[in-house]
Amino acid sequence: KVCNLLGNMCRYSAYFYEPLLKHGLIQELISRCRDPDHNARKFACFAIGNSGFHNDVLYPYLKDSIPALIELLSDPEEKTRANASGALGNLLRNSGLLAPELLKYGA
């Protein structure tokens, strides 16, 4: 539920990007991408995607999510696959900073 909350907090503006970083929540979201619970994975992807939607400020910190997001493109849950795909797209939305990393992992 916390991943869903964080995703919604970042959905409409970048206002919460700095607090996410300050409190170490980016790394926690990345860890939830490999959680055994399918809802945690689904909403972690949602939150990571929204953390990269409005600008590229968090891109350097979201870089570590790329391998997990690519793995989740094969998740059994359709919505998790969709959220992972959207998150990967958002990691290119505002700059090409992460393009080499995405190519490195075959995205």
Side-chain angles (χ1 to χ4, degrees), residues 66-79:
I66 293 171
L69 291 171
I70 290 172
E71 288 174 23
L72 289 171
L73 294 174
S74 299
D75 194 85
E77 175 99 11
E78 181 181 351
K79 189 62 177 171

Side-chain angles (χ1 to χ4, degrees), residues 4 6 22 25 29 48 59 76 78 81 91 104:
N4 190 17
L6 294 174
K22 179 180 175 184
L25 296 172
L29 288 172
I48 289 169
Y59 281 11
E78 181 181 351
R81 293 191 307 268
L91 295 180
K104 173 181 165 184

Side-chain angles (χ1 to χ4, degrees), residues 8 12-13 25 30 32 37 41-42 47 52 57-58 64 67 71 80 84 86 90 93 96:
N8 279 302
Y12 300 106
S13 84
L25 296 172
I30 294 169
R32 297 295 69 79
D37 181 72
R41 293 191 309 272
K42 173 175 61 179
V57 169
L58 295 179
D64 292 340
E71 288 174 23
T80 300
N90 286 349
R93 177 182 166 85

Side-chain angles (χ1 to χ4, degrees), residues 12-104:
Y12 300 106
S13 84
Y15 181 81
F16 291 103
Y17 286 6
E18 185 180 327
L20 282 178
L21 187 59
K22 179 180 175 184
H23 296 288
L25 296 172
I26 298 292
Q27 199 56 46
E28 287 301 318
L29 288 172
I30 294 169
S31 295
R32 297 295 69 79
C33 285
R34 292 198 166 100
D35 197 284
D37 181 72
H38 69 94
N39 284 316
R41 293 191 309 272
K42 173 175 61 179
F43 288 118
C45 294
F46 170 69
I48 289 169
N50 286 344
S51 297
F53 183 80
H54 299 287
N55 61 46
D56 65 354
V57 169
L58 295 179
Y59 281 11
Y61 308 97
L62 295 171
K63 178 176 105 170
D64 292 340
S65 70
I66 293 171
L69 291 171
I70 290 172
E71 288 174 23
L72 289 171
L73 294 174
S74 299
D75 194 85
E77 175 99 11
E78 181 181 351
K79 189 62 177 171
T80 300
R81 293 191 307 268
N83 287 352
S85 176
L88 288 166
N90 286 349
L91 295 180
L92 290 170
R93 177 182 166 85
N94 297 294
S95 82
L97 178 71
L98 295 179
E101 197 72 13
L102 285 160
L103 290 171
K104 173 181 165 184

